[in-house]
Amino acid sequence: MASVYIENLGCAKNQVDAEVMGARLEDAGWTWTDVAEQADLIVINTCGFIEPAQQESIDTTLAFLNAYPDTPVTLAGCMAQRYADELAGGMPEIAGVFGNREPHRIDVVVRRITDHHAEHGPLVWVPEGEPVITAHPRNRLLSHPGSAFIKIAEGCNHSCSFCAIPSIRGRLRLRPVGDILREFRELRAAGIFEFNLIAQDLAAWRDGGDGFPALISALLAEPGEFWLRPLYLYPDTFPEELLAIAASDARLLPYFDLSFQHASRSVLRRMGRPGDAAAYLALIQRIRAVLPDAALRSSFIVGFPGETDEDIAELRSFLETARLEWVGVFEYSAQDGTPAAAMRDPVSAQLSARRKAEIEAGQEQIVADRLGRRVGAEYTVLVEDRIQGTEIALGRSRLHAPDVDGLVVVHGCPETVVPGSVITAETTGVSGVDLQAVFRR
């Protein structure tokens, strides 16, 4: 029986695609292996969002080609979708290039690659249409135990000047509520406790006349204990009905990832964004008025064309007032074909790096303060790992999204606490971005 190894790069949406590809190949008779040396085919699920991610995809591909010269290597994912011809022409030693629009058809692509004659160069399969988003049942997850991502939509209809996602992922496609509920129930039956809902913008989801809060209510109508964590919400269209729902049902976690991107009105307008610092601070105030224990995350771009010292000062002031629990800071990376790539007044790489370091340094004390307020509280913790030979477990509470925030370091855990366990721990202190805690039950 032939075996396939999948190297996944990039975001949670890419991870779901990798899980779908692995499951589809298993259904077609392949064995999905974790050991590249044992594979008859290597699939690299590339990321193409920003330049560092693109370089990582290229470096990873070259490393696999060098390490396994006799094993066919196929590129999939976002970079494959965006630069199919360039990759096929620049790396003729790869077996194929498969875009990101139809991950559930990977078996068809692999079959064609097998029949393809190498002397003709890599097989390129990159559909340009907008197929209906399909959720193939996933037999195996690449998440931490007990956690899963559910993609409720694909693509994006926003027109931010810096972003190539609409060209990479396509226009917005939505999954109907019944399809999402079916997958939710299947994953719950498989033992999943935490459900991280993802899309480029969750607030854009619709099914008929029902918006995102209706989907949340439908999921919460299911019995039993679980977590729903909504990720990636545009602040300008934030559905505030979620606040009352979260206040009345603890299974909807009071955790919101709000895509602010900047605080300066002039920078935001050049980004093609409608918000400003005052509107964002008012939204944060409304969220915390209803949910005082809410954890808020956002990402910011520094070094955008035309950004001034005054703009950065406004961003620093905003962050000092907003007191967000979690912040990601990224240096602007020009994307081919976007309006921002043609803008004048670029910011130098050195200045962008310095501004990034300044913002991150200022945020460190804010994080310490926000986490310090949690000391002495009890939290439900989903365990991700054990430190071998100790009574220490590493996990996440409702304050922590997978892979991007800190952890809860739980001491005094019995042997019965294993990855995937859901426990209660009392917080005792703060270490950097992590909470220290002791096991309670």
Side-chain angles (χ1 to χ4, degrees):
M1 182 179 293
S3 61
V4 61
Y5 173 85
I6 300 176
E7 181 74 9
N8 184 61
L9 305 173
C11 68
K13 292 180 284 293
N14 233 29
Q15 177 181 312
V16 172
D17 291 346
E19 293 164 352
V20 168
M21 287 190 286
R24 189 67 196 94
L25 287 171
E26 285 185 321
D27 290 349
W30 289 73
T31 298
W32 185 0
T33 178
D34 291 326
V35 184
E37 291 85 350
Q38 299 175 358
D40 300 298
L41 172 70
I42 293 171
V43 176
I44 300 175
N45 198 31
T46 62
C47 179
F49 183 43
I50 57 176
E51 185 175 345
Q54 295 168 14
Q55 189 60 52
E56 180 188 19
S57 295
I58 292 172
D59 292 344
T60 300
T61 301
L62 294 174
F64 274 91
L65 288 169
N66 182 63
Y68 311 105
D70 298 325
T71 305
V73 174
T74 293
L75 304 187
C78 291
M79 191 174 182
Q81 177 74 30
R82 192 176 186 192
Y83 298 112
D85 292 336
E86 294 89 337
L87 291 169
M91 288 189 279
E93 60 269 50
I94 62 177
V97 180
F98 174 47
N100 62 11
R101 302 291 172 88
E102 299 177 325
H104 59 288
R105 300 192 69 190
I106 183 69
D107 59 315
V108 178
V109 177
V110 166
R111 189 162 58 248
R112 293 195 179 189
I113 288 173
T114 302
D115 297 336
H116 187 68
H117 295 294
E119 60 266 24
H120 296 157
L123 175 74
V124 176
W125 178 305
V126 183
E128 294 297 334
E130 307 292 355
V132 175
I133 179 172
T134 301
H136 186 85
R138 292 176 277 164
N139 308 326
R140 172 180 165 194
L141 302 177
L142 300 175
S143 309
H144 296 286
S147 180
F149 293 100
I150 294 183
K151 190 191 298 187
I152 68 167
E154 182 59 280
C156 184
N157 287 348
H158 292 289
S159 54
C160 302
S161 67
F162 58 86
C163 185
I165 290 295
S167 64
I168 297 173
R169 289 268 175 188
R171 303 293 290 174
L172 180 68
R173 285 103 67 202
L174 306 171
R175 290 178 64 190
V177 63
D179 192 38
I180 298 169
L181 281 169
R182 175 194 56 76
E183 184 175 36
F184 174 75
R185 290 164 181 157
E186 289 174 353
L187 290 169
R188 283 201 68 203
I192 299 301
F193 178 75
E194 176 188 50
F195 298 87
N196 302 285
L197 305 180
I198 56 172
Q200 200 61 34
D201 175 16
L202 292 175
W205 184 89
R206 293 286 186 277
D207 189 350
D210 293 328
F212 183 61
L215 172 61
I216 291 294
S217 295
L219 293 168
L220 291 174
E222 297 291 306
E225 292 300 316
F226 52 83
W227 282 350
L228 289 182
R229 187 185 299 275
L231 299 176
Y232 319 134
L233 286 156
Y234 273 56
D236 310 293
T237 54
F238 181 80
E240 298 193 27
E241 304 96 307
L242 294 180
L243 304 181
I245 297 173
S248 63
D249 193 328
R251 296 176 300 173
L252 174 59
L253 302 185
Y255 180 105
F256 302 111
D257 189 342
L258 304 167
S259 176
F260 291 136
Q261 302 298 352
H262 214 283
S264 162
R265 174 186 284 265
S266 63
V267 173
L268 286 165
R269 292 303 174 273
R270 289 196 299 279
M271 288 180 168
R273 313 271 298 199
D276 58 32
Y280 293 164
L281 289 172
L283 173 61
I284 291 168
Q285 184 178 28
R286 293 195 298 274
I287 291 172
R288 287 181 170 152
V290 179
L291 301 169
D293 199 36
L296 303 181
R297 158 173 275 280
S298 191
S299 298
F300 297 88
I301 296 173
V302 297
F304 193 79
E307 182 187 65
T308 65
D309 289 341
E310 289 75 18
D311 294 324
I312 286 295
E314 186 171 358
L315 177 55
R316 286 198 302 267
S317 176
F318 170 80
L319 289 170
E320 184 63 36
T321 304
R323 315 296 287 177
L324 302 174
E325 278 72 16
W326 309 111
V327 165
V329 186
F330 300 90
E331 297 172 52
Y332 170 71
S333 174
Q335 298 299 294
D336 293 342
T338 62
M343 288 182 179
R344 294 179 295 178
D345 300 323
V347 177
S348 71
Q350 294 83 356
L351 183 54
S352 292
R354 186 161 72 245
R355 288 174 173 174
K356 177 178 186 291
E358 290 173 357
I359 295 298
E360 289 177 333
Q363 184 63 22
E364 285 181 5
Q365 186 55 49
I366 295 173
V367 172
D369 172 66
R370 298 302 296 176
L371 292 180
R373 296 166 180 255
R374 317 286 180 160
V375 173
E378 282 195 353
Y379 287 102
T380 300
V381 175
L382 174 60
V383 175
E384 290 187 346
D385 201 2
R386 288 285 305 230
I387 297 181
Q388 192 171 7
T390 74
E391 295 182 342
I392 299 174
L394 306 177
R396 293 180 295 102
S397 73
R398 64 177 183 258
L399 310 174
H400 309 92
D403 301 323
V404 293
D405 302 329
L407 296 169
V408 183
V409 182
V410 186
H411 300 259
C413 292
E415 293 181 357
T416 53
V417 174
V418 297
S421 297
V422 179
I423 63 175
T424 299
E426 180 181 346
T427 54
T428 59
V430 179
S431 298
V433 297
D434 297 331
L435 284 170
Q436 298 291 325
V438 293
F439 175 81
R440 287 295 179 237
R441 59 188 180 276

